[in-house]
Amino acid sequence: MFTQVKLNYNYNAYEPYVDALTMETHYSKHHAAYTKNLNDAAVKAGVGDMPIEDLLSSLDKVKDDALRKAIRNNGGGFYNHNLYFSTMSPNGGGEPVGKLFEAIKKHFGSFEEFKDSLSQLSISQFGSGWGWLSANAAGELSLSSTANQDNPLMDGKGFVPILGVDVWEHAYYLKYKNLRADYVKTFFNLVDWNVVSANYEKAQNKK
Ligand code: MN3
C-alpha cells in the first residue's frame, strides 16, 4: 500500500508563492488520484509490496503492457509528488549548507549557477514534466528533465531524485497562467534544503 506524504502545513501556508487552491487541488486531487491508481495497478500486477524506488527502477518486471504503463505514469506521479511536497516549506528558500552545498559547488561551480541550470531545464521542458536534481551512491550530482511523470529512477543509471520541480500546468496555472518561468523562480523560495540534504545523504547510503 502506497501512501501520500503528509503535508506539514495548511494549504494557505505556501502563499504568496503557491496559492492555497493550487496546493489543495494538487495534493488532494492530483496526487491522491496518482496514489489510488498506482495502488490499484500495483495490486493487479502483484507488486504492491515493493519499495517504490525499486519498482520504478525495474518497470520491465511488470510484464503486462497496460499495467506497466499505469504503474509508470501513476507510480511516477505518486513518487514525484511525495518528493515535491516533502521538500516544500513556508520556511524554505536560501541555500543548502554542509555536504550538499559543497557538492553543488563542485559539480556546478556555484549555487547560483546550479539554480540557473535547473531553472532553465525546468522552464524549457516541452509540455508537462519535471526538472530534477539527482544524486548517486558515490555522492555525484546530476541535473535533468523528464516528460510526463517519468523520473531519473527509470533510467536505471543509479541516480535518485533529491529535488523535483513540477512544471505540469496544474502546479502553477491558477496563479501564474502561462508564465512558467515566474513560478519556477518563485518555487525556490519554498525549497526546504534540510530535507534535500537529508535526501542527498540517503541517496549515498543506498546499497
Ligand atoms: Mn504535479
Side-chain angles (χ1 to χ4, degrees):
M1 180 80 178
F2 300 100
T3 52
Q4 277 181 275
V5 70
K6 291 266 175 291
L7 284 188
N8 291 321
Y9 306 92
N10 294 329
Y11 295 128
N12 63 5
Y14 305 84
E15 305 251 13
Y17 307 120
V18 176
D19 60 284
L21 183 57
T22 294
M23 280 303 290
E24 180 175 6
T25 311
H26 203 175
Y27 180 80
S28 73
K29 306 288 188 207
H30 292 280
H31 192 199
Y34 292 127
T35 306
K36 183 188 182 305
N37 293 338
L38 166 64
N39 277 309
D40 291 350
V43 166
K44 279 187 204 155
V47 294
D49 295 328
M50 278 180 80
I52 188 66
E53 292 88 352
D54 296 350
L55 179 55
L56 295 180
S57 53
S58 59
L59 283 167
D60 52 350
K61 283 188 186 142
V62 180
K63 296 301 174 200
D64 182 90
D65 286 343
L67 286 176
R68 187 172 58 253
K69 191 174 171 194
I71 290 172
R72 179 181 192 135
N73 290 336
N74 293 288
F78 162 75
Y79 175 90
N80 297 346
H81 288 89
N82 265 7
L83 178 67
Y84 179 76
F85 288 123
S86 66
T87 56
M88 286 171 83
S89 164
N91 308 312
E95 300 181 0
V97 294
K99 284 179 190 166
L100 179 58
F101 184 78
E102 293 306 319
I104 283 174
K105 259 198 332 197
K106 181 180 154 201
H107 284 83
F108 310 115
S110 69
F111 181 76
E112 281 308 311
E113 285 171 271
F114 150 76
K115 213 167 95 171
D116 287 348
S117 299
L118 179 55
S119 298
Q120 272 315 311
L121 278 168
S122 305
I123 292 162
S124 59
Q125 169 61 41
F126 187 77
S128 298
W130 292 76
W132 301 106
L133 172 64
S134 307
N136 67 9
E140 293 169 330
L141 295 175
S142 158
L143 296 176
S144 61
S145 64
T146 58
N148 304 318
Q149 294 295 353
D150 286 356
N151 68 44
L153 289 170
M154 297 173 187
D155 299 341
K157 291 180 181 158
F159 277 88
V160 179
I162 64 173
L163 175 67
V165 186
D166 187 346
V167 291
W168 282 58
E169 286 183 344
H170 67 222
Y172 63 87
Y173 205 85
L174 292 179
K175 183 178 170 81
Y176 295 93
K177 301 294 185 285
N178 59 314
L179 303 177
R180 182 189 280 186
D182 288 0
Y183 152 75
V184 169
K185 189 175 174 201
T186 222
F187 172 76
F188 284 94
N189 293 310
L190 292 170
V191 173
D192 185 339
W193 289 105
N194 294 322
V195 175
V196 182
S197 287
N199 292 342
Y200 181 55
E201 293 294 317
K202 263 186 262 166
Q204 292 171 75
N205 293 328
K206 276 230 172 306
K207 299 276 181 316

